[in-house]
Amino acid sequence: KLSLNKDIEDASGYMGYRITVGDFCITVEGYDESGIAQGLYYMEDLMNIRKAPFLKKEVIKKKALFSSRCTHSPMGMFQWPDEALALVAHAGMDTIAFYMRNGFQSTRNQDYLDLRLISERCEKFGIKVAVALSTPHNKHSDEPDAQAYYDNLYGDLFKACPKIAWVCLAGESTNFVSKDPNAGKSPYPNNHNENIPTGK
């Protein structure tokens, strides 16, 4: 028996679940849909370990300790067959991440990646998609056309894939322009002197 329940004691929270194994019934209560899935995965793991469809009578309560748990593909940066997505979901991770130049092109130019398609596939496994936009960010926020520039830069990303869960702003990927004299130039390879990093 499966059900949603916002009051499952210590397991109340994101991806939380309570499994009650009784004499004639097993009940899995999830704080959310991901919680129900995690409860089923946990029962599957227990039965696989025992090598039998057997569960002892008990009450099991668990929830995620933090969110999000993000990972890259175990098969290569942009390789996500359904089997890999299932593995990530079973491991309790809820997000996969990509380094992209725009909404259609990965940082490895030879790899075409359809973010819209993969985000729709991820939904079936309860997995979200995160993106680090690794592309020149050539406008300082003080410049008069900066708002339009960044609206277009990130707008194109979300037009291509409206289901992106979040965007990661990593310094080495974004290279935002700075007016701080102690900061380096953008992009960071410009801070090399004869191919030796200056440290900025």
Side-chain angles (χ1 to χ4, degrees):
K1 179 180 171 183
L2 308 178
S3 66
L4 290 170
N5 186 352
K6 293 294 184 184
D7 183 16
I8 47 177
E9 303 168 296
D10 298 343
S12 295
Y14 178 62
M15 292 177 84
Y17 60 88
R18 178 171 60 193
I19 301 171
T20 305
V21 182
D23 290 323
F24 304 104
C25 179
I26 299 173
T27 301
V28 179
E29 299 166 278
Y31 183 82
D32 47 27
E33 290 182 355
S34 294
I36 291 176
Q38 290 303 313
L40 294 172
Y41 297 152
Y42 188 75
M43 287 195 308
E44 180 184 5
D45 289 343
L46 289 177
M47 289 187 279
N48 282 335
I49 289 169
R50 293 179 175 134
K51 297 182 179 179
F54 167 79
L55 296 171
K56 67 179 181 179
K57 286 173 55 177
E58 63 179 333
V59 176
I60 302 165
K61 293 178 285 187
K62 295 182 181 291
K63 68 178 178 181
L65 297 180
F66 57 89
S67 176
S68 65
R69 290 186 66 201
C70 184
T71 187
H72 294 293
S73 173
M75 305 179 67
M77 180 69 76
F78 305 107
Q79 305 302 315
W80 283 108
D82 283 354
E83 292 82 0
L85 292 174
L87 181 66
V88 167
H90 273 69
M93 298 186 183
D94 61 358
T95 309
I96 60 173
F98 299 96
Y99 291 94
M100 301 294 294
R101 294 201 188 283
N102 54 48
F104 304 98
Q105 188 180 40
S106 73
T107 50
R108 297 178 182 178
N109 293 335
Q110 72 274 21
D111 288 330
Y112 175 81
L113 183 70
D114 190 332
L115 275 180
R116 183 187 295 268
L117 175 60
I118 199 164
S119 65
E120 290 171 355
R121 288 177 51 231
C122 283
E123 270 190 323
K124 299 174 185 176
F125 295 90
I127 297 171
K128 298 182 282 291
V129 170
V131 171
L133 198 56
S134 185
T135 193
H137 289 58
N138 294 326
K139 296 283 184 182
H140 190 277
S141 57
D142 288 346
E143 295 183 49
D145 57 347
Q147 183 69 51
Y149 175 84
Y150 286 107
D151 282 350
N152 184 62
L153 184 65
Y154 284 89
D156 283 350
L157 178 65
F158 281 96
K159 282 178 190 173
C161 185
K163 293 185 177 182
I164 292 172
W166 47 269
V167 173
C168 174
L169 300 179
E172 69 270 20
S173 297
T174 54
N175 289 261
F176 282 110
V177 176
S178 175
K179 293 182 180 180
D180 183 344
N182 296 310
K185 300 173 184 177
S186 175
Y188 69 85
N190 290 339
N191 301 293
H192 291 191
N193 185 5
E194 295 183 355
N195 292 323
I196 299 174
T198 62
K200 290 189 175 183

